[in-house]
Amino acid sequence: MTHTIEIVDHDPGWAEAFAAISGAVAAALGPLALRIEHVGSTSVPGLGAKPIVDLDVVIESPALLPPVVEALAALGYSHKGDLGIAGREAFGREDDTVPRDGSGRAWPAHHLYVCARESRELHRHVRFRDYLRSHPDSAASYEALKRALAQRHPHDIESYIEGKSEFVEGILAVDGGGARS
């Protein structure tokens, strides 16, 4: 199934969606989750984005992944592995009723990842988000790039992602490299 890549104007409801989804996930994980971070473009106020909320569940260490996978499976998430990105475990959902918290509600589109506290990828996500939040000119440039890429590659997510890479790496280099927060 081919999805069209669409960048929409920022929606203040994304913060509410994150709060609701993270609340359901946190309730299921209990102390296994140190915290849950709202990352990605939907976490930056004013930034246009694909309307999909990104969440990073932070755990103490990779050794805790098995019970986390089990708890998330009880909510209806399926573990997809790292999908080629070390330090970030991806989870899919079969439909919009996941997380199945007993409410029967339909949830907004979202991507759920689990990262150990010391994960390089977690630190990159948080640093990039924080940089864009504090540098509105860079956020505007990033949005313009994403809109152009979505027009150029409306059905090619790999090219869209690749097209953003140089910008993201440039910000991370300005903000202190890729491994520390």
Side-chain angles (χ1 to χ4, degrees), residues 52-63:
I52 302 169
V53 174
D54 290 326
L55 302 93
D56 280 356
V57 175
V58 183
I59 61 176
E60 183 62 36
S61 78

Side-chain angles (χ1 to χ4, degrees), residues 43-141:
S43 69
V44 179
L47 180 61
K50 295 190 316 294
I52 302 169
V53 174
D54 290 326
L55 302 93
D56 280 356
V57 175
V58 183
I59 61 176
E60 183 62 36
S61 78
L64 293 175
L65 188 60
V68 168
V69 169
E70 185 177 324
L72 291 175
L75 290 177
Y77 289 101
S78 57
H79 184 216
K80 302 296 185 186
D82 71 9
L83 302 179
I85 299 176
R88 187 200 76 179
E89 297 293 322
F91 288 78
R93 49 191 211 126
E94 64 185 46
D95 60 38
D96 67 1
T97 65
V98 174
R100 291 193 183 100
D101 65 345
S103 69
R105 74 178 278 185
W107 296 90
H110 62 279
H111 293 147
L112 183 72
Y113 304 102
V114 173
C115 303
R117 184 174 53 85
E118 295 301 323
S119 161
R120 178 177 186 267
E121 200 60 26
L122 169 67
H123 291 285
R124 289 168 52 85
H125 288 174
V126 171
R127 278 195 7 270
F128 187 67
R129 173 201 67 198
D130 292 350
Y131 186 90
L132 291 180
R133 284 179 175 176
S134 63
H135 295 84
D137 290 349
S138 293
S141 295

Side-chain angles (χ1 to χ4, degrees), residues 5 146-154 160:
I5 300 166
K146 293 189 322 167
R147 288 185 185 276
L149 289 167
Q151 278 192 324
R152 196 172 316 135
H153 308 288
Y160 170 81

Side-chain angles (χ1 to χ4, degrees), residues 16-30 36 55 75 99 101 107:
E16 296 165 16
F18 165 76
I21 297 162
S22 65
V25 170
L29 292 176
I36 302 175
L55 302 93
L75 290 177
D101 65 345
W107 296 90

